[in-house]
Amino acid sequence: MLVEEKNAMTEEIEQLVKKFGKKRSALLSILHGIQLKHRHISEYAQQEIARLLDIHPVEVYSVLSFFAFLNATTKDRNLVRICQTISCDMKNKENIVRAVERELNIKIGQTTSDNKFTVEYINCLGLCDEGPAMAINDQVFTKLTPEKAVKLLGKVK
């Protein structure tokens, strides 16, 4: 990361701290703000957030790694996450998985050759009563059928 990029990142984080406060309770909001703009939270950003909130960097990373929608590394342009809870299993999640894999010509955990899509499982999207559920980037879709999942991917393509 270049010095100019580091300075810009520090300024962004300072603005988020000013907006959300310096308490530990502001951490998730600050992480989300960085994620929205950069699609990931770099190690440098994690260190700066920890410094500005006066908490240990491990605390920042533990929150970052706990929440599925926060990433420590850059993801491809479109991240598809399929809920893997038992609730979604009971609502035929496997049919959704097969349809997505067939449509993108990849398996779960892989990235398309053009780097436009990565597909992975997510532990829970928190919509167990509306499964099967899938997220494409930051948008969540529920009550999926294989046809609906393929149609959603087509809109993103």
Side-chain angles (χ1 to χ4, degrees):
M1 191 176 243
L2 299 172
V3 172
E4 298 85 28
E5 291 172 332
K6 286 182 177 182
N7 290 340
M9 178 63 70
T10 298
E11 286 179 27
E12 282 180 47
I13 295 167
E14 287 171 346
Q15 289 302 313
L16 290 168
V17 169
K18 188 180 285 186
K19 179 178 180 179
F20 296 112
K22 291 189 80 159
K23 292 184 178 178
R24 183 177 273 115
S25 60
L27 177 58
L28 190 56
S29 297
I30 293 167
L31 290 170
H32 186 67
I34 297 297
Q35 174 82 25
L36 282 174
K37 184 168 183 185
H38 299 279
R39 296 184 52 109
H40 77 289
I41 297 114
S42 68
E43 188 174 330
Y44 178 78
Q46 293 173 52
Q47 296 288 330
E48 282 298 284
I49 292 167
R51 182 181 68 78
L52 291 168
L53 294 183
D54 196 29
I55 59 177
H56 198 281
V58 169
E59 291 182 71
V60 175
Y61 183 75
S62 68
V63 171
L64 172 64
S65 62
F66 178 79
F67 288 96
F69 286 103
L70 297 174
N71 303 304
T73 58
T74 305
K75 297 287 184 174
D76 295 303
R77 276 189 264 171
N78 296 293
L79 181 58
V80 179
R81 292 176 165 147
I82 300 173
C83 186
Q84 67 176 356
T85 62
I86 194 162
S87 300
C88 285
D89 281 341
M90 293 170 57
K91 294 181 180 180
N92 300 314
K93 170 204 69 185
E94 263 321 299
N95 293 337
I96 306 305
V97 171
R98 282 195 297 275
V100 168
E101 288 178 336
R102 190 172 41 250
E103 178 67 15
L104 298 176
N105 197 30
I106 58 173
K107 297 288 183 193
I108 295 287
Q110 296 180 334
T111 299
T112 56
S113 59
D114 61 4
N115 290 322
K116 286 188 180 177
F117 288 90
T118 296
V119 180
E120 62 188 30
Y121 281 124
I122 189 169
N123 286 327
C124 184
L125 287 168
L127 298 161
C128 297
D129 60 328
E130 297 186 46
M134 172 177 81
I136 301 176
N137 300 320
D138 292 330
Q139 193 166 7
V140 178
F141 304 94
T142 59
K143 298 182 181 178
L144 291 174
T145 62
E147 297 79 18
K148 185 177 177 183
V150 168
K151 188 175 180 180
L152 291 166
L153 292 173
K155 288 181 180 180
V156 176
K157 281 184 177 180

